[in-house]
Structures are given as structure tokens and as C-alpha cells.
Amino acid sequence: MITNRLKISRGAMYLILIAISTATFFPFLWMVSTAFKPASEVFQSPPNFIPQKPTLSNFIIGWSILPFGRIFFNTTFITVTRTVLSAFLASLAGYAFAKYRFWGHKFFFLLILATLMIPFQLTMIPVFLLLGKIGWLNTYQGLIFPGVAQAFGVFLMRQYFRTIPTELIEVSRLDGASEFRIFFQIILPLAKPALAVLAIFSFQGSWNEFLLPLIVVESDWLLTIQLGLSKFRGELWTDWGQLMAMTLISIIPVMIVFLAFQKHFIKGISLTGTRG
Amino acid sequence: MTGTEKGLRLSFFRRRPNISGIKVVPYLFILPHMLLLFIFVLIPVVWVLVLSFFHWDVFFPPRFIWFNGFIRTLREPLFWKSLGTTAFYVCGHLLFKIPIAIGLALLLNRRIKGRILFRGLIYFPYVVSMVTVALIWQWMFSAEYGVINFLLSGVGGSYTKNILGNPKLAIYPIIALGVWKNAGQTMVIFLAGLQGIPETVYEAARIDGAGPWKTFWYITLPLLKPITLFVLVISTLGSFKVFDQVYIMTNGGPGYATMTIVQYIYREGFERFNLGMGATASCYLFLILLSITIIQMKFFGKEAGYQ
């Protein structure tokens, strides 16, 4: 009797879960379906769920409408540079806050935490003016550097470095290793798990960034993927088949990173809770 | 005698550079980060404050106008309208997202087969960019060819309803998109919270004869309070900044029906070149975010014993 009821509730739970995750994932399925449809099927009502005559023409034609090769190069370059810089600077600062007692360390740390209260949306007008003043509008630097200093990264690295025993550092000091050597040869290799979490979030944030490119980019050669996708739509008419094909391509790198590092994603959230 | 002297001298020579090094080193370590923080966050914050005391439309030199900018912004109907729309969005977002996320976390906290897969599927929209999913949603809500209208027609909706083009309805898909995209992330935070509740508490409840509903209401929910406060604060801050999905799906329209506060700032600054007014609106937004956070911490923080 009891086992029977349990079975039913377990079955019902699976049904609920399958329904929820299908509904959650449905927009992506719809994107894939549209991307492989010929125009005649894209603009057809009522719509088909599965393309009757699947085609790759959306990918081929869509790719040539905007300089997508360049766009992907730009986005990859910006994302990688920013991720490496961000992770490096955050671990330097995080290490200092975890393992040194220096005059003003509390003040500086609070200052960094306080910037969590100041999203980019608040400062976008002066950042735009500032980039204009130093001639960084419409440049790679202008897309990379404003996003490098992430308070959350410093916080994450500090929490992680605190778990590393201080004796390890002191022993190396007694061996005569310089502070920088200790950091690079002993501490940084130990920080790989935290660095992985940080790098993934930084990758995600940078690849998906929209507002900063929207303000900084003026010419087509500097377009990033999100800005390119938003410009793909016409004033009056949009070829949704081609747009969905390009959207699908833009998701693939994120999807690969997600599948490869799913554990880190989840762990990162429970570590810090924040981000976004 | 000479031996110890030698040893002392050696350690003296060896350690001195280290000690003086240690004093400077931490500053060198935090310097690059602080420098970027200073240039791209702190200077702009001060600048935004200074700018809001000026009238500046790019074409003429800035003019100092005291508090007139702040007063003028308060007299702008569109400023209030966009604030109202944002508040409505935030309320809708929190009202749906948090209960849904708690429900999902409870479902997926059990040891069942495939829960990693289910979690992954539900979490996935959070990983993808807002621009991407907003484009997909816009296409799904297309008036003539959209799949949503097709599905609605199955349950008696009219077939060619232009939901995004309707000033009264356009905000709802935007809210739904925000909930759909972020619920998975919030679920993971609650899952972490649920795993922090010791099994013994549940056992005690079972021995006392509490059913699943009572256990949830009197045990799980109160114990989740601190984490709920945390979610509440970061979700409010996050959803107040709503911009990308509105920019893509409706661009604030039709008319100004879905214009949010960040949209308002963007429009003043980058479309009307009214930099002073944009800065003033930014200051108001900062004040709002700050006071909401403080109120939430004070009000819910006490209840959760979490100060």
C-alpha cells in the first residue's frame, strides 16, 4: 500500500519534472527548429515543429550578412583577454587580503565590496565620457578594461586563499623565496579550482555582455556577438530563420563551456551566490 | 661564539629585505585591481554626481544649475512612468521567481535519477546571454508566425494577437522572460540552502508526527529565511537594472509602455544627448537601490536573526 503510493508519487514527480524541463528548454528547441527551416516554412502559419525540408542555407547566407568571422574573433579575443586579466588581478588582490595584514586593508576591502552596489548601468554615461577622453571609444581596450576589475572575483579568491595554511607561506619565506615567487610558484597553482570558477563566470559575463559594446562600438569591424545579433534585425523585416541560425552558433561556445564545467557553475553559485 | 654571531648576521641579512618587502608587497598586489577600480568605477561615480549638477547637451558647454536638474527630473512624467514600469517588473519578477525557485529546489533536492540532468536543463537559460534569449522570445511572440500565438489558439486565444505590440500586455512577456531565465540560478542558491539543513531536524519532525506540508511550513521555510533574504536583496538589485531584454523585445515601446529606468537613463544620455539629465536619473536610481537594500536588510534581517 505504502510502496504503491510512493511509486505513484515518484512517477508523478518525474512527469512534473519532465514537463517543467521541456517547457524550460522549449525556446531553445524552437530556435534550432527555426534555424533549419527554409524561409517558406519559417513564415508559415500554423507553424511546423519539425522542419519538413531541413536546410543549411540559413547558416550559409546568415553568416555573410554581417562579418561574422570577424565578430567571433573579436568576441573571443575580448573574452579571453578579459578573463585572464580579471582572474589574475583578482587572485593577486585576493591573496593580499587573505594573507597580509597591512595598513588600510579593511578600508580597501570594503571599498571593493562597496562597488558591488554600483552596477555599470549607473555609471555608463561617465564611463562613456571617460573612454572618449582617453581615446578608447571604438577600440578593443575600451571593451576589455572597464570590465576587468570585478569585486566578486576578489571576494571569491580571498575566501579561497584563506583556506590555504599560512605555515606553507612561512616555510617558503624561511627558505628565502621572495613574496612574488611564493605567490606565482606555490599559491597560484594551488588556486586552480577557484580560478576555474572565476574564469567560467568571467567568460560567461564577457561573452554575453551587451550594454558596454552598445556604448563603445561604432564600426562594424569591432562588433561583438551580442551586438551583432541585435543589429541583425531589420527596421521593417527580419529573416528569423537566418537570425536563429546565427543565434544557435553564438550559443555553442557557451554550451560547450557549460557542459564541460557544469559542476563548477553550480559550485560557483553556492560559493558566492551572486553574479548577475 | 663566532658561530652564533655569524648565524645572527646571516639571518639579519637574509631577512631584512624580506621584512621591508612584506610591507610594500601587499600594496603591489592590490595595486592593479585598485587602479582599474579607481579609473572605471570610482571616478565615474564621482563624475555622475558632479554631472547631475550641470545642464549639458554636448553641443553647448556645461552650465552649473545647482539642484535644478534634480527638480526637473522629478517633474518629468516619463521618469515616473519608467520608474513605475520598473517597479512593476521587479515585483512581478520576485513574486514569481522566488516561489518557483523554492519549488524547483524542493523537487530536485531529493535523491532521484537524472536530477543532475534536470538541474542542468532548468539552469541552462541563465548561462546564455539575455540578448540571445530575448531574440528567441521575440520570435516566439511574433504576431503572425509566432509559436506562442499558435499554442494560445489551442486554448481559445485569438490567433494573431500582437502581444508585444500591445501597451497593456507587452510587459508580461518581458517579466516572464526574466523569471524563466533566472529561476534556475535562484533554484541552485536555494538548493545550497536546503543542503545546509541537517537531516536530524527532519527526523525530529517526523517523530513528532509532522506531515510533509507541516514540515515544509514550520521547518524548511523558516530555516530558509536567511537565504531567502539574500536572494531577495540580490534579485531586487539585479532586476532593477533590467535593460537588455526590453531593448531587444520592445525597445521601451509601444509608445513608452515598457520603458524601464535604465532605458530612461540610456535614452537621455545616448539618444537625446542630455548627459546632465541622464546623470541625475542615475543618482536617483542609486538612491533607490541603496534605500531598498537597507530597508530589506533592516526589515527582514531582524526577522531572520541575520544581522
Side-chain angles (χ1 to χ4, degrees), chain B residues 283-299:
Chain B
C283 287
Y284 278 124
L285 177 57
F286 176 69
L287 280 180
I288 292 167
L289 292 181
L290 193 66
S291 33
I292 287 177
T293 310
I294 292 171
I295 290 169
Q296 281 177 338
M297 292 299 240
K298 276 251 154 79
F299 187 68

PDB file of all heavy atoms in Angstrom, chain B residues 283-299:
ATOM      1  N   CYS B 283      21.620  59.102 -10.419  1.00  0.00           N
ATOM      2  CA  CYS B 283      21.717  59.361  -8.978  1.00  0.00           C
ATOM      3  C   CYS B 283      20.461  58.894  -8.255  1.00  0.00           C
ATOM      4  O   CYS B 283      20.536  58.271  -7.197  1.00  0.00           O
ATOM      5  CB  CYS B 283      21.925  60.847  -8.722  1.00  0.00           C
ATOM      6  SG  CYS B 283      23.567  61.396  -9.140  1.00  0.00           S
ATOM      7  N   TYR B 284      19.303  59.210  -8.822  1.00  0.00           N
ATOM      8  CA  TYR B 284      18.053  58.759  -8.204  1.00  0.00           C
ATOM      9  C   TYR B 284      18.011  57.238  -8.141  1.00  0.00           C
ATOM     10  O   TYR B 284      17.612  56.656  -7.120  1.00  0.00           O
ATOM     11  CB  TYR B 284      16.846  59.291  -8.979  1.00  0.00           C
ATOM     12  CG  TYR B 284      16.482  60.709  -8.616  1.00  0.00           C
ATOM     13  CD1 TYR B 284      16.407  61.703  -9.571  1.00  0.00           C
ATOM     14  CD2 TYR B 284      16.195  61.038  -7.292  1.00  0.00           C
ATOM     15  CE1 TYR B 284      16.078  63.008  -9.239  1.00  0.00           C
ATOM     16  CE2 TYR B 284      15.861  62.334  -6.942  1.00  0.00           C
ATOM     17  CZ  TYR B 284      15.801  63.321  -7.918  1.00  0.00           C
ATOM     18  OH  TYR B 284      15.474  64.588  -7.567  1.00  0.00           O
ATOM     19  N   LEU B 285      18.437  56.589  -9.240  1.00  0.00           N
ATOM     20  CA  LEU B 285      18.419  55.126  -9.251  1.00  0.00           C
ATOM     21  C   LEU B 285      19.323  54.576  -8.150  1.00  0.00           C
ATOM     22  O   LEU B 285      18.957  53.632  -7.439  1.00  0.00           O
ATOM     23  CB  LEU B 285      18.851  54.594 -10.621  1.00  0.00           C
ATOM     24  CG  LEU B 285      18.948  53.074 -10.753  1.00  0.00           C
ATOM     25  CD1 LEU B 285      17.638  52.395 -10.403  1.00  0.00           C
ATOM     26  CD2 LEU B 285      19.364  52.671 -12.163  1.00  0.00           C
ATOM     27  N   PHE B 286      20.491  55.204  -7.971  1.00  0.00           N
ATOM     28  CA  PHE B 286      21.400  54.738  -6.925  1.00  0.00           C
ATOM     29  C   PHE B 286      20.756  54.886  -5.544  1.00  0.00           C
ATOM     30  O   PHE B 286      20.805  53.966  -4.717  1.00  0.00           O
ATOM     31  CB  PHE B 286      22.716  55.518  -6.966  1.00  0.00           C
ATOM     32  CG  PHE B 286      23.642  55.140  -5.861  1.00  0.00           C
ATOM     33  CD1 PHE B 286      24.228  53.887  -5.847  1.00  0.00           C
ATOM     34  CD2 PHE B 286      23.913  56.017  -4.825  1.00  0.00           C
ATOM     35  CE1 PHE B 286      25.085  53.509  -4.820  1.00  0.00           C
ATOM     36  CE2 PHE B 286      24.764  55.646  -3.790  1.00  0.00           C
ATOM     37  CZ  PHE B 286      25.342  54.405  -3.789  1.00  0.00           C
ATOM     38  N   LEU B 287      20.112  56.037  -5.313  1.00  0.00           N
ATOM     39  CA  LEU B 287      19.443  56.253  -4.028  1.00  0.00           C
ATOM     40  C   LEU B 287      18.367  55.194  -3.790  1.00  0.00           C
ATOM     41  O   LEU B 287      18.230  54.672  -2.683  1.00  0.00           O
ATOM     42  CB  LEU B 287      18.800  57.645  -4.000  1.00  0.00           C
ATOM     43  CG  LEU B 287      19.752  58.800  -3.712  1.00  0.00           C
ATOM     44  CD1 LEU B 287      18.989  60.116  -3.725  1.00  0.00           C
ATOM     45  CD2 LEU B 287      20.426  58.590  -2.360  1.00  0.00           C
ATOM     46  N   ILE B 288      17.622  54.883  -4.845  1.00  0.00           N
ATOM     47  CA  ILE B 288      16.557  53.880  -4.708  1.00  0.00           C
ATOM     48  C   ILE B 288      17.147  52.526  -4.355  1.00  0.00           C
ATOM     49  O   ILE B 288      16.705  51.858  -3.411  1.00  0.00           O
ATOM     50  CB  ILE B 288      15.745  53.802  -6.020  1.00  0.00           C
ATOM     51  CG1 ILE B 288      14.950  55.090  -6.232  1.00  0.00           C
ATOM     52  CG2 ILE B 288      14.806  52.604  -5.995  1.00  0.00           C
ATOM     53  CD1 ILE B 288      14.376  55.229  -7.617  1.00  0.00           C
ATOM     54  N   LEU B 289      18.182  52.119  -5.097  1.00  0.00           N
ATOM     55  CA  LEU B 289      18.798  50.806  -4.846  1.00  0.00           C
ATOM     56  C   LEU B 289      19.335  50.734  -3.414  1.00  0.00           C
ATOM     57  O   LEU B 289      19.137  49.741  -2.706  1.00  0.00           O
ATOM     58  CB  LEU B 289      19.928  50.550  -5.838  1.00  0.00           C
ATOM     59  CG  LEU B 289      19.531  50.353  -7.298  1.00  0.00           C
ATOM     60  CD1 LEU B 289      20.757  50.082  -8.155  1.00  0.00           C
ATOM     61  CD2 LEU B 289      18.535  49.219  -7.439  1.00  0.00           C
ATOM     62  N   LEU B 290      20.001  51.812  -2.999  1.00  0.00           N
ATOM     63  CA  LEU B 290      20.597  51.845  -1.667  1.00  0.00           C
ATOM     64  C   LEU B 290      19.522  51.730  -0.591  1.00  0.00           C
ATOM     65  O   LEU B 290      19.627  50.919   0.330  1.00  0.00           O
ATOM     66  CB  LEU B 290      21.389  53.144  -1.493  1.00  0.00           C
ATOM     67  CG  LEU B 290      22.304  53.205  -0.291  1.00  0.00           C
ATOM     68  CD1 LEU B 290      23.433  52.212  -0.426  1.00  0.00           C
ATOM     69  CD2 LEU B 290      22.861  54.610  -0.110  1.00  0.00           C
ATOM     70  N   SER B 291      18.437  52.525  -0.742  1.00  0.00           N
ATOM     71  CA  SER B 291      17.432  52.507   0.322  1.00  0.00           C
ATOM     72  C   SER B 291      16.676  51.181   0.340  1.00  0.00           C
ATOM     73  O   SER B 291      16.357  50.675   1.427  1.00  0.00           O
ATOM     74  CB  SER B 291      16.474  53.693   0.210  1.00  0.00           C
ATOM     75  OG  SER B 291      16.261  54.036  -1.114  1.00  0.00           O
ATOM     76  N   ILE B 292      16.429  50.606  -0.834  1.00  0.00           N
ATOM     77  CA  ILE B 292      15.747  49.305  -0.844  1.00  0.00           C
ATOM     78  C   ILE B 292      16.587  48.258  -0.129  1.00  0.00           C
ATOM     79  O   ILE B 292      16.083  47.486   0.693  1.00  0.00           O
ATOM     80  CB  ILE B 292      15.456  48.859  -2.288  1.00  0.00           C
ATOM     81  CG1 ILE B 292      14.316  49.689  -2.874  1.00  0.00           C
ATOM     82  CG2 ILE B 292      15.071  47.387  -2.329  1.00  0.00           C
ATOM     83  CD1 ILE B 292      14.012  49.357  -4.308  1.00  0.00           C
ATOM     84  N   THR B 293      17.879  48.266  -0.405  1.00  0.00           N
ATOM     85  CA  THR B 293      18.749  47.280   0.242  1.00  0.00           C
ATOM     86  C   THR B 293      18.742  47.461   1.748  1.00  0.00           C
ATOM     87  O   THR B 293      18.609  46.496   2.511  1.00  0.00           O
ATOM     88  CB  THR B 293      20.190  47.423  -0.283  1.00  0.00           C
ATOM     89  OG1 THR B 293      20.145  47.439  -1.696  1.00  0.00           O
ATOM     90  CG2 THR B 293      21.050  46.279   0.182  1.00  0.00           C
ATOM     91  N   ILE B 294      18.860  48.719   2.192  1.00  0.00           N
ATOM     92  CA  ILE B 294      18.893  48.976   3.629  1.00  0.00           C
ATOM     93  C   ILE B 294      17.586  48.541   4.277  1.00  0.00           C
ATOM     94  O   ILE B 294      17.576  47.873   5.313  1.00  0.00           O
ATOM     95  CB  ILE B 294      19.179  50.472   3.903  1.00  0.00           C
ATOM     96  CG1 ILE B 294      20.616  50.796   3.477  1.00  0.00           C
ATOM     97  CG2 ILE B 294      18.971  50.807   5.371  1.00  0.00           C
ATOM     98  CD1 ILE B 294      20.943  52.263   3.492  1.00  0.00           C
ATOM     99  N   ILE B 295      16.457  48.891   3.636  1.00  0.00           N
ATOM    100  CA  ILE B 295      15.155  48.526   4.196  1.00  0.00           C
ATOM    101  C   ILE B 295      15.011  47.009   4.278  1.00  0.00           C
ATOM    102  O   ILE B 295      14.607  46.459   5.304  1.00  0.00           O
ATOM    103  CB  ILE B 295      14.012  49.134   3.345  1.00  0.00           C
ATOM    104  CG1 ILE B 295      13.973  50.650   3.537  1.00  0.00           C
ATOM    105  CG2 ILE B 295      12.673  48.525   3.737  1.00  0.00           C
ATOM    106  CD1 ILE B 295      13.080  51.361   2.555  1.00  0.00           C
ATOM    107  N   GLN B 296      15.385  46.324   3.212  1.00  0.00           N
ATOM    108  CA  GLN B 296      15.251  44.867   3.212  1.00  0.00           C
ATOM    109  C   GLN B 296      16.110  44.239   4.302  1.00  0.00           C
ATOM    110  O   GLN B 296      15.669  43.331   5.008  1.00  0.00           O
ATOM    111  CB  GLN B 296      15.649  44.306   1.846  1.00  0.00           C
ATOM    112  CG  GLN B 296      14.541  44.456   0.812  1.00  0.00           C
ATOM    113  CD  GLN B 296      14.964  43.974  -0.551  1.00  0.00           C
ATOM    114  OE1 GLN B 296      16.149  43.907  -0.851  1.00  0.00           O
ATOM    115  NE2 GLN B 296      14.005  43.649  -1.390  1.00  0.00           N
ATOM    116  N   MET B 297      17.348  44.757   4.458  1.00  0.00           N
ATOM    117  CA  MET B 297      18.231  44.218   5.477  1.00  0.00           C
ATOM    118  C   MET B 297      17.651  44.445   6.866  1.00  0.00           C
ATOM    119  O   MET B 297      17.639  43.554   7.709  1.00  0.00           O
ATOM    120  CB  MET B 297      19.609  44.893   5.403  1.00  0.00           C
ATOM    121  CG  MET B 297      20.383  44.560   4.165  1.00  0.00           C
ATOM    122  SD  MET B 297      20.717  42.817   4.032  1.00  0.00           S
ATOM    123  CE  MET B 297      22.473  42.839   4.021  1.00  0.00           C
ATOM    124  N   LYS B 298      17.147  45.667   7.105  1.00  0.00           N
ATOM    125  CA  LYS B 298      16.593  46.009   8.416  1.00  0.00           C
ATOM    126  C   LYS B 298      15.359  45.193   8.711  1.00  0.00           C
ATOM    127  O   LYS B 298      15.222  44.586   9.753  1.00  0.00           O
ATOM    128  CB  LYS B 298      16.225  47.511   8.430  1.00  0.00           C
ATOM    129  CG  LYS B 298      17.398  48.395   8.753  1.00  0.00           C
ATOM    130  CD  LYS B 298      17.234  49.001  10.149  1.00  0.00           C
ATOM    131  CE  LYS B 298      18.564  49.346  10.754  1.00  0.00           C
ATOM    132  NZ  LYS B 298      19.109  50.598  10.226  1.00  0.00           N
ATOM    133  N   PHE B 299      14.427  45.182   7.740  1.00  0.00           N
ATOM    134  CA  PHE B 299      13.103  44.614   7.964  1.00  0.00           C
ATOM    135  C   PHE B 299      13.154  43.100   8.056  1.00  0.00           C
ATOM    136  O   PHE B 299      12.740  42.501   9.032  1.00  0.00           O
ATOM    137  CB  PHE B 299      12.179  45.060   6.845  1.00  0.00           C
ATOM    138  CG  PHE B 299      10.750  44.680   7.062  1.00  0.00           C
ATOM    139  CD1 PHE B 299      10.006  45.271   8.077  1.00  0.00           C
ATOM    140  CD2 PHE B 299      10.152  43.721   6.267  1.00  0.00           C
ATOM    141  CE1 PHE B 299       8.710  44.912   8.284  1.00  0.00           C
ATOM    142  CE2 PHE B 299       8.842  43.357   6.477  1.00  0.00           C
ATOM    143  CZ  PHE B 299       8.119  43.950   7.481  1.00  0.00           C
TER     144      PHE B 299
END
